[in-house]
Amino acid sequence: MTTTIAPIYLARVAALLRRGGRRLLGLVGPPGAGKSTLARALQTTFAAQSVVVPMDGFHLANAELQRLGRAARKGAPDTFDAAGYAALLQRLKTQRAGDAVVYAPAYLREIEEPVAGAVPVFAHTPLVITEGNYLLLQSGDWPGAAALLDEVWYVEVDSALRMQQLTQRHQQFGRSAAAAADWVAHTDEPNARLVEASAVHADLIFRVDPVG
């Protein structure tokens, strides 16, 4: 799936950049909404001015999820290091010209683990695009992250398409069709309800109209 970005949204990013300094744009939405696709499309459009820092890099490691008894709920709000994510956003918010590179983690679906130091953020890059499910969640340490974002867009897509994409993603990375459908129904969808409830706090709604 590709995402077409209407000129009105591109103009909004351009306006954000004109404010000067380091700006943080958040993309939030339920699992499978197309946040990563939109983030990549924006980064491609503003290639010389932006970098993508995914919230998913703050997944707790599988061994820690097992220790905590949360492995079966991987992807729920308490299976991330929300305080660590907020701390990274604080570093990025205050990074200035001449400062050292800040390294952000990424999440590799091939191994289903976070990897430290995977995304370099240079001080001269004015726009950080960060995307994830819980950027607007009003509990735990998540509000600390939201407070650091200059603008947050809620990514909305047709529910049936979103669930189809999620199921395909799980199958692509090793689950059987039955296991993928079960995970979507019993893990992803409860999380999606939480995320959808947070949409009222977004600065705008970005409706995904897939092409191809």
Side-chain angles (χ1 to χ4, degrees):
M1 186 187 80
T2 59
T3 297
T4 300
I5 305 175
I8 188 173
Y9 299 112
L10 298 180
R12 188 149 182 150
V13 176
L16 194 61
L17 286 166
R18 283 196 298 272
R19 290 165 59 181
R22 168 60 58 75
R23 297 296 164 185
L24 274 58
L25 171 63
L27 306 177
V28 65
K35 301 178 297 294
S36 299
T37 302
L38 176 57
R40 288 193 298 270
L42 287 171
Q43 201 283 319
T44 298
T45 302
F46 297 92
Q49 300 165 286
S50 66
V51 62
V52 175
V53 173
M55 185 204 83
D56 276 358
F58 288 87
H59 268 286
L60 296 180
N62 289 332
E64 179 63 3
L65 292 176
Q66 289 286 355
R67 185 187 74 81
L68 294 169
R70 302 175 189 173
R73 298 189 300 104
K74 185 174 182 176
D78 63 346
T79 65
F80 291 85
D81 177 13
Y85 177 58
L88 175 68
L89 294 184
Q90 179 64 46
R91 288 185 68 194
L92 296 177
K93 188 77 171 181
T94 58
Q95 189 183 25
R96 296 292 181 264
D99 287 352
V101 177
V102 174
Y103 288 96
Y107 184 76
L108 296 188
R109 294 192 181 279
E110 294 81 0
I111 59 173
E112 295 193 337
E113 291 278 14
V115 176
V119 182
V121 181
F122 298 96
H124 64 262
T125 303
L127 179 64
V128 173
I129 302 166
T130 186
E131 54 87 10
N133 294 344
Y134 303 119
L135 275 56
L136 293 176
L137 204 65
Q138 302 294 295
S139 61
D141 293 303
W142 296 106
L148 295 163
L149 302 174
D150 292 284
E151 195 162 290
V152 183
W153 299 2
Y154 183 86
V155 183
E156 183 179 78
V157 69
D158 175 79
S159 181
L161 175 60
R162 181 178 61 77
M163 294 179 69
Q164 178 187 356
Q165 292 173 168
L166 265 179
T167 303
Q168 290 174 346
R169 179 198 296 171
H170 289 313
Q171 289 181 261
Q172 179 184 352
F173 291 100
R175 285 191 171 95
S176 67
D182 182 73
W183 188 271
V184 169
H186 297 103
T187 301
D188 288 330
E189 284 309 288
N191 296 334
R193 301 289 83 79
L194 284 175
V195 178
E196 289 168 352
S198 74
V200 296
H201 304 291
D203 294 295
L204 66 79
I205 304 297
F206 183 97
R207 174 70 186 181
V208 175
D209 293 314
V211 177

